Amino acid sequence: MTDRVVQALSVDKRLRRVQPYATGGMVTLTGKVFDDDAKAIAERTVRNVPGVTGVIDNLRTDTSVWAQNETLINQRLQAEGLTGVTAKVIGDGAYLDGTVKTDQDRDRAATVAVMAAPVKVRTNLIRVDPGFFGF
């Protein structure tokens, strides 16, 4: 059964990171795909293999990992008092934006981002605005 499922999944290059494990007609999918659409395609592909009676979908998506890292970074920025800064994560890159009062805070935001999640700061668009009379 596993061989038939592997063969069916190998037809679509979006599913190359999916590992199936079959026990009788039940197939468990693990690994990663890009997004929820690819997850649905993987499950549908496996369900159409003759002899498959059920599918357990334990797949993770790249986009869900990115969202998780983005949340971790943004929570940490807030906790560090950098409330005017936000991060967007795509792949292993973090893209920072917002406003801080000092150059040190701008640098600190980049440090916080890389300490909060496994990312590299690709773009730091944080603006320094000391405010009225530097306050």
Side-chain angles (χ1 to χ4, degrees):
M1 175 63 67
T2 299
D3 291 340
R4 285 187 289 189
V5 172
V6 167
Q7 172 119 12
L9 290 168
S10 70
V11 172
D12 191 328
K13 67 181 179 178
R14 295 172 293 183
L15 308 179
R16 71 184 185 283
R17 298 182 291 163
V18 175
Q19 294 91 38
Y21 300 96
T23 305
M26 183 62 70
V27 178
T28 301
L29 301 177
T30 61
K32 279 173 108 179
V33 292
F34 180 70
D35 60 10
D36 288 334
D37 289 339
K39 245 181 118 165
I41 290 167
E43 187 171 337
R44 187 171 48 247
T45 298
V46 173
R47 285 192 188 283
N48 288 329
V49 173
V52 171
T53 58
V55 177
I56 299 171
D57 182 354
N58 288 334
L59 292 170
R60 292 184 43 188
T61 65
D62 291 327
T63 54
S64 69
V65 172
W66 301 350
Q68 180 181 358
N69 287 338
E70 186 174 303
T71 298
L72 288 171
I73 293 167
N74 284 318
Q75 287 174 345
R76 185 68 181 270
L77 289 167
Q78 296 296 307
E80 293 288 332
L82 297 163
T83 57
V85 178
T86 58
K88 177 71 179 166
V89 174
I90 301 172
D92 68 349
Y95 301 84
L96 304 178
D97 196 8
T99 305
V100 294
K101 293 190 181 288
T102 67
D103 287 327
Q104 292 84 2
D105 282 342
R106 184 178 193 273
D107 294 340
R108 188 164 61 95
T111 300
V112 167
V114 298
M115 297 300 287
V119 297
K120 296 175 186 164
V121 174
R122 301 285 184 203
T123 304
N124 187 341
L125 298 175
I126 298 172
R127 295 164 304 288
V128 176
D129 182 6
F132 189 67
F133 294 119
F135 297 106

